[in-house]
Amino acid sequence: MTAAVRTTCPYCGVGCGVLAQPDGSLKGDPAHPANKGRLCAKGAALGETLSDAGRLLHPGIAGARTSWNTALDLVAARFRETIAAHGPDSVAFYVSGQCLTEDYYVANKLMKGFIGSGNIDTNSRLCMASSVAGHTRAFGADVVPGLYEDLEEADLVILVGSNLAWCHPVLHGRLQAARGERGTKLVVIDPRGTATSAGADLHLALAPGSDVALFAGLLAHLAGIGRVDQGWVAAHTTGINEALTAARETAPTLERVAALTGLSPEEIARFYAMFAATERTVTVYSQGVNQSSAGTDKVNAILNCHLATGRIGRPGMGPFSVTGQPNAMGGREVGGLANQLAAHMRFDMPGAPDRLRRFWQAPNLATRPGLKAVELFEAVLDGRVKALWIMATNPADSLPRAGRVRQALAACPFLVVSDCWETDTTRHADVILPAAGWGEKSGTVTNSERRISRQRPFRAAPGEARPDWWMLAEIGRRMGWAKDFAWESPAAVFREHAALSGFENGGSRSFDIGAMAMLSDEGYEALAPFRWPLPAGATEEGGRLFAAGGFPTPDGRARLVPTPFRGPAAMPGADYPLLLNTGRLRDQWHTMTRTGQVPRLSEHAPVPAAALSPGDAEALGAEAGGLLRLASPHGETVLRVAIDPGQRPGEVFVPMHWTDAFTSSGPVGRLVGAAVDPVSGQPELKATPVRAEALPVRWRGLLLHRRAVRPEEPGLHWSRAPVAAGHVLELTGAEPLPAEIAPLVGRLLAAPEGAELLHIADPARGAWRFATLAEGRVESCLFLLREGSRAALPSGTALAGLLDGMVAEAARPGLLAGRALAARPAERNVCACFGVGIQTLRACILDRRLTTVAEVGEALSAGTNCGSCLPEIREVLRDARAEAAA
Ligand SMILES: Nc1nc2c(c(=O)[nH]1)N[C@H]1C(S)=C(S)[C@@H](COP(=O)(O)OP(=O)(O)OC[C@H]3O[C@@H](n4cnc5c(=O)[nH]c(N)nc54)[C@H](O)[C@@H]3O)O[C@H]1N2
Ligand SMILES: Nc1nc2c(c(=O)[nH]1)N[C@H]1C(S)=C(S)[C@@H](COP(=O)(O)OP(=O)(O)OC[C@H]3O[C@@H](n4cnc5c(=O)[nH]c(N)nc54)[C@H](O)[C@@H]3O)O[C@H]1N2
Ligand code: SF4
Ligand SMILES: [Mo]
């Protein structure tokens, strides 16, 4: 590589541009409009995920290596046979918002146009389906009307169920910078106190699932004080009376809203007054809204308020659904959900199926929607679906009732999985197809503001890994549709997708990138980020939509939708008295196949923990760092305890990231219920009743190992984090250490044959240290402490150095006592970009009397790169100030 390659970050839907430089380093692309050079901690650590180690390198059948030809022939044959015997609805694809648009287009065309079933669904069902349904109900199509600039040009930004500081850090950084300049007010609506709410002017910690009541109350309030924009509403909408009637029924008074939401009438009144008084208002919403059994109504309750005030599509105003995955939007554009067709066409749109049939010359176009994710896996379990291809998603961890999903995967007569790494899902596959990953494949993604950007390759795919679109096209050809799946490049797929978006469109469908239908291969290579719509002949990229109406409905008007209130599908009761909320942490990405390899990204939160309010922790007798057994009707797990004053009493929060590969706790998805929204089919991932029980801690330990070992000891809780040359596992034992510890130690150290064992035992103090050496290198180290011991464990990072290099003969006696092992308490990283830990930060702030984040940045660089840690730095500053004053 001689010139820098412009590409796009593969993580969140902000869609930041990344420059891969000739020297192999990566940085934010200053020319990309989404990030203008900035990256968050995850984006900045992308370079550390590019190792070939651990990648799937060759196709495999039943665990044995095979050739692409054999694997593809088998997949095509088994799909053909299954369809011949049981019909097209007996097969399915389950794909992902992490597929590129070109991959997605081919998958959808193959399933809906040629196989002839609607059975292609995507993990976007768990993510954006309620927004898609809400947009479609209100606007007539799945369209985000605004732009990122609107967050900077607003006077009031409302974040509903969004932890923007951690989940969309660069956009959050843009918002914070704008607040600094124009004093934008920020309201955060989230049951939990988060890094995002810490910086807000108003945090409404509402009862889980009560958003509809809050926004219905807002609509009724706006009407009550005459803030409805009557002229705009009359010209561009229908349904206001019905929506208002329903809103007034749900929320006749502030007191009623207060009763439903658990907020005080004063807080609610303050929020309503801010909304009513501020023309330039943007309402951003994310998974606290979508992942709910009332998700679609939550979306429409928000959209109703913007439509009623005509605050849409103008600078600094509008509802703004931020997307999670890098190509959540692209997947919706190609129709990757089971209830969509392609290019924003739907089964229920007059003329659409026929138009698509003609465009594709499809022999067998699906005539009705297919199975949505949760139903799809039920159908696999009960045998209706007999052949399934899973691509770029890890449902064994990320679907609700993950235990049941695993039963379905195990029961599936023919399971194909394409991924880049081994996962809890690939373990069940009959055929594994190794996928080219980020930095290796070529195509496009669409971010939250409708901007289409290129992902470009800058390194060779390892082994025989190939891009997903190629695998799908190969299967299409091998199933007998050679000319329909004949593309030779992603550019050719993109042209077809663009042509379809413009085909017989004439302004009837918002998604139109017809201008790209004739793009040359060179043009595709050079394609700069642009926003849709961009119809044939357009000279300017798409901007804000709907300020002057023109909605893609038959009458051109938007719909206000009545949203009667209902709470979560299952509420806490005697058996399951707490409510489980799940979501994201700052430095991990989903099931950790990539971010879980990067030491500095694991430092922010090295172990999965269940966050409890101080009151609940006390009532349960749970202590920070102790163990908690959590159980729901679907499964149970044991996790470490974190005590968080930001937790609402009665609620537990558990991050979604950890899997069986990283912890004995496994995925929290095992506990999560599968109630779905009746309109969108999106599961309620944020509200499952659970019960909790504190477990005693009998001993603690730390295990350093070259290999990613998975101890299986009864009563042992462990979680693993990567370090430079291996892994460090935190161990917590709920059963007493055996009197004879040698067998346990042997199993944990798992040393190779003939390894040398060093040990220091101090049973009187309840402390033991062991190391194994093979060929002059440390293989593993184990530190054990009986509960109550006054000794301390070393920190994982201090230990990590032991895996570096050879250990000289003379150094062996000192190995386990050496300075490297000084019992330094582990320091949690605050700034992942510059590796600044919490102790260092506090010490420096107190020492040098720092008072602002700018001063901290100057002193330590902390917070000066991506800014995702600024909320935490502010908190440390506040605490330090309080301490200094006391
Ligand atoms: N670091 C990081 N960033 C990511 C991802 C990641 O894995 N890691 N994933 C990306 C993806 S795919 C997505 S979809 C986005 C998700 O981004 P977000 O939606 O911001 O993230 P979550 O943590 O899932 O949930 C947001 C908040 O919803 C709150 N919530 C729960 N129930 C309710 C409720 O009833 N009402 C309201 N108002 N709020 C509620 C939760 O307490 C939580 O703080 O993040 C993207 N960005
Ligand atoms: N409890 C709970 N569950 C949740 C959520 C929650 O908040 N709580 N959030 C839900 C949401 S919003 C989402 S988006 C999902 C995410 O859940 P998943 O999609 O299951 O999570 P990922 O870990 O992102 O899985 C992506 C997989 O694709 C692989 N991969 C990466 N690049 C490629 C590629 O180019 N090709 C192929 N073939 N594979 C690739 C990765 O190695 C990884 O195994 O989780 C959902 N599940
Ligand atoms: S905010 Fe971070 S994760 Fe999201 S696209 Fe930008 S760099 Fe990637
Ligand atoms: Mo998502």
Side-chain angles (χ1 to χ4, degrees):
M1 182 163 90
T2 51
V5 173
R6 298 205 126 85
T7 184
T8 313
C9 177
Y11 297 127
C12 85
V14 177
C16 297
V18 176
L19 268 185
Q21 305 179 100
D23 67 0
S25 67
L26 301 173
K27 64 170 196 176
D29 181 356
H32 198 288
N35 58 319
K36 304 187 178 90
R38 304 194 83 179
L39 292 176
C40 75
K42 294 182 299 302
L46 270 168
E48 288 141 77
T49 65
L50 294 176
S51 145
D52 292 351
R55 284 288 297 271
L56 295 171
L57 300 175
H58 310 284
I61 298 178
R65 178 174 169 178
T66 187
S67 69
W68 270 110
N69 205 30
T70 310
L72 293 168
D73 274 345
L74 178 68
V75 175
R78 287 297 296 268
F79 269 73
R80 226 178 14 234
E81 288 159 20
T82 309
I83 294 163
H86 305 284
D89 289 335
S90 64
V91 303
F93 295 160
Y94 183 59
V95 302
S96 162
Q98 293 168 76
C99 293
L100 302 180
T101 298
E102 292 74 3
D103 304 324
Y104 239 137
Y105 178 86
V106 180
N108 191 51
K109 179 175 178 180
L110 179 56
M111 185 53 77
K112 295 206 183 107
F114 289 76
I115 290 177
S117 168
N119 281 350
I120 169 171
D121 210 39
T122 136
N123 64 359
S124 281
R125 186 68 61 193
L126 316 179
C127 182
M128 302 312 302
S130 298
S131 280
V132 173
H135 288 150
T136 307
R137 287 206 300 193
F139 306 149
D142 174 24
V143 178
V144 173
L147 318 178
Y148 288 160
E149 280 78 8
D150 291 323
L151 274 77
E152 296 165 323
E153 295 173 21
D155 294 318
L156 171 64
V157 172
I158 303 162
L159 301 177
V160 196
S162 155
N163 188 3
L164 203 74
W166 281 7
C167 295
H168 300 88
V170 167
L171 190 56
H172 183 256
R174 286 178 63 169
L175 169 61
Q176 291 302 332
R179 287 180 78 201
E181 280 168 26
R182 69 184 287 144
T184 323
K185 291 278 179 279
L186 180 65
V187 176
V188 173
I189 301 176
D190 190 317
R192 246 174 10 121
T194 61
T196 309
S197 69
D201 297 286
L202 179 63
H203 172 207
L204 299 177
L206 81 180
S210 65
D211 307 72
V212 166
L214 186 65
F215 281 91
L218 176 59
L219 185 66
H221 174 77
L222 293 168
I225 61 164
R227 288 303 309 221
V228 168
D229 184 338
Q230 300 291 356
W232 197 88
V233 166
H236 302 302
T237 72
T238 62
I240 185 140
N241 292 333
E242 294 79 354
L244 257 177
T245 305
R248 287 185 176 129
E249 235 158 71
T250 295
T253 58
L254 270 190
E255 286 64 34
R256 182 74 194 133
V257 179
L260 292 173
T261 58
L263 299 167
S264 71
E266 295 71 33
E267 291 173 290
I268 300 169
R270 201 174 143 211
F271 167 52
Y272 288 179
M274 285 166 91
F275 191 102
T278 319
E279 179 82 348
R280 285 177 173 250
T281 295
V282 172
T283 308
V284 172
Y285 54 94
S286 186
Q287 298 316 343
V289 168
N290 292 333
Q291 290 173 342
S292 157
S293 60
T296 309
D297 280 349
K298 287 188 184 185
V299 170
N300 286 107
I302 294 169
L303 299 183
N304 284 347
C305 294
H306 278 272
L307 289 170
T309 47
R311 292 180 193 160
I312 186 164
R314 285 185 287 148
M317 320 176 193
F320 205 123
S321 147
V322 281
T323 51
Q325 298 175 92
N327 202 28
M329 276 284 217
R332 288 142 70 177
E333 290 151 20
V334 305
L337 290 158
N339 51 320
Q340 302 175 316
L341 286 171
H344 274 201
M345 289 182 277
R346 296 190 307 275
F347 289 96
D348 63 0
M349 237 179 205
D354 179 60
R355 181 180 309 120
L356 191 57
R357 186 179 294 114
R358 283 183 283 115
F359 182 87
W360 275 344
Q361 300 182 351
N364 199 17
L365 192 83
T367 52
R368 58 191 154 96
L371 296 166
K372 302 186 174 103
V374 171
E375 312 168 285
L376 172 61
F377 282 83
E378 280 300 298
V380 173
L381 186 60
D382 70 25
R384 276 173 291 155
V385 167
K386 299 172 201 308
L388 173 65
W389 185 348
I390 296 171
M391 180 174 293
T393 177
N394 189 5
D397 295 314
S398 59
L399 270 176
R401 292 188 311 198
R404 195 171 166 86
V405 168
R406 289 169 187 216
Q407 286 170 16
L409 295 174
C412 188
F414 188 63
L415 179 65
V416 183
V417 181
S418 35
D419 203 293
C420 312
W421 287 273
E422 271 176 33
T423 68
D424 291 338
T425 301
T426 59
R427 275 198 277 121
H428 299 274
D430 297 293
V431 179
I432 290 189
L433 303 176
W438 184 77
E440 300 153 10
K441 53 195 283 187
S442 179
T444 55
V445 291
T446 310
N447 74 4
S448 297
E449 59 158 4
R450 291 180 269 119
R451 185 176 295 287
I452 297 177
S453 301
R454 284 293 316 275
Q455 270 197 19
R456 294 186 177 86
F458 55 86
R459 71 191 292 269
E464 297 174 35
R466 302 294 313 254
D468 295 298
W469 74 267
W470 175 87
M471 302 176 205
L472 286 155
E474 280 289 329
I475 297 301
R477 296 200 273 265
R478 284 163 206 250
M479 288 181 76
W481 301 297
K483 82 169 181 12
D484 311 280
F485 292 85
W487 313 281
E488 300 215 312
S489 68
V493 180
F494 184 74
R495 280 190 290 268
E496 185 176 313
H497 164 60
L500 174 57
S501 75
F503 182 60
E504 298 176 0
N505 188 329
S508 62
R509 307 192 302 275
S510 301
F511 178 67
D512 186 343
I513 54 167
M516 295 289 159
M518 308 299 275
L519 193 68
S520 64
D521 287 355
E522 297 71 39
Y524 185 75
E525 270 330 300
L527 189 65
F530 71 96
R531 210 159 34 211
W532 63 260
L534 198 71
T539 49
E540 242 178 64
E541 68 170 357
R544 298 181 175 90
L545 298 171
F546 307 148
F551 292 92
T553 49
D555 59 6
R557 288 165 178 273
R559 309 268 182 277
L560 280 89
V561 180
T563 58
F565 175 72
R566 61 182 191 283
M571 287 300 275
D575 289 342
Y576 299 100
L578 299 169
L579 204 58
L580 171 67
N581 177 6
T582 62
R584 290 157 173 78
L585 299 181
R586 193 189 75 187
D587 291 351
Q588 292 297 348
W589 177 259
H590 296 164
T591 69
M592 296 169 61
T593 57
R594 285 169 285 184
T595 47
Q597 304 169 24
V598 183
R600 65 176 161 136
L601 293 183
S602 293
E603 287 169 19
H604 183 245
V607 301
L612 293 171
S613 73
D616 287 332
E618 200 186 327
L620 289 162
E623 283 174 21
L627 292 177
L628 192 73
R629 190 198 308 281
L630 273 186
S632 82
H634 314 290
E636 67 168 57
T637 184
V638 174
L639 287 152
R640 292 267 288 261
V641 176
I643 296 177
D644 180 353
Q647 276 298 120
R648 258 175 134 254
E651 278 195 61
V652 197
F653 179 83
V654 177
M656 66 167 291
H657 305 294
W658 276 264
T659 67
D660 284 328
F662 288 93
T663 173
S664 54
S665 310
V668 69
R670 281 215 181 89
L671 276 65
V672 173
V676 298
D677 177 274
V679 184
S680 68
Q682 180 154 356
E684 184 144 72
L685 297 168
K686 302 239 181 291
T688 303
V690 293
R691 69 167 164 259
E693 174 199 355
L695 300 181
V697 173
R698 309 294 194 187
W699 57 275
R700 292 177 192 276
L702 205 61
L703 173 63
L704 179 75
H705 213 288
R706 271 191 200 281
R707 288 180 292 118
V709 288
R710 301 185 68 259
E712 290 191 20
E713 302 291 332
L716 169 62
H717 174 268
W718 61 266
S719 54
R720 168 170 79 76
V723 292
H727 309 268
V728 56
L729 283 79
E730 295 208 15
L731 313 176
T732 316
E735 306 283 341
L737 278 172
E740 179 56 63
I741 66 167
L744 170 69
V745 168
R747 289 193 300 272
L748 290 173
L749 286 168
E753 197 81 26
E756 183 185 343
L757 177 72
L758 307 178
H759 68 273
I760 301 177
D762 190 352
R765 287 181 74 214
W768 295 264
R769 298 176 165 198
F770 308 88
T772 64
L773 289 114
E775 291 165 13
R777 294 188 320 169
V778 171
E779 281 297 314
S780 55
C781 292
L782 176 64
F783 293 72
L784 295 181
L785 282 188
R786 196 188 297 128
E787 188 62 3
S789 166
R790 299 245 296 283
L793 290 172
S795 84
T797 25
L799 269 191
L802 291 179
L803 293 179
D804 296 342
M806 309 290 284
V807 182
E809 198 68 43
R812 288 182 189 197
L815 184 66
L816 288 169
R819 234 163 43 91
L821 304 185
R824 259 202 305 143
E827 196 183 11
R828 187 173 63 78
N829 237 352
V830 174
C831 172
C833 299
F834 293 104
V836 180
I838 179 108
Q839 263 88 298
T840 313
L841 188 63
R842 281 177 50 84
C844 181
I845 288 172
L846 289 169
D847 216 41
R848 296 166 63 172
R849 298 201 170 74
L850 307 181
T851 56
T852 65
V853 289
E855 288 168 1
V856 170
E858 235 159 74
L860 293 164
S861 298
T864 57
N865 183 46
C866 75
S868 354
C869 60
L870 288 174
E872 267 178 271
I873 295 181
R874 266 184 219 110
E875 229 169 88
V876 178
L877 277 165
R878 220 171 16 240
D879 291 351
R881 230 177 358 248
E883 197 169 305

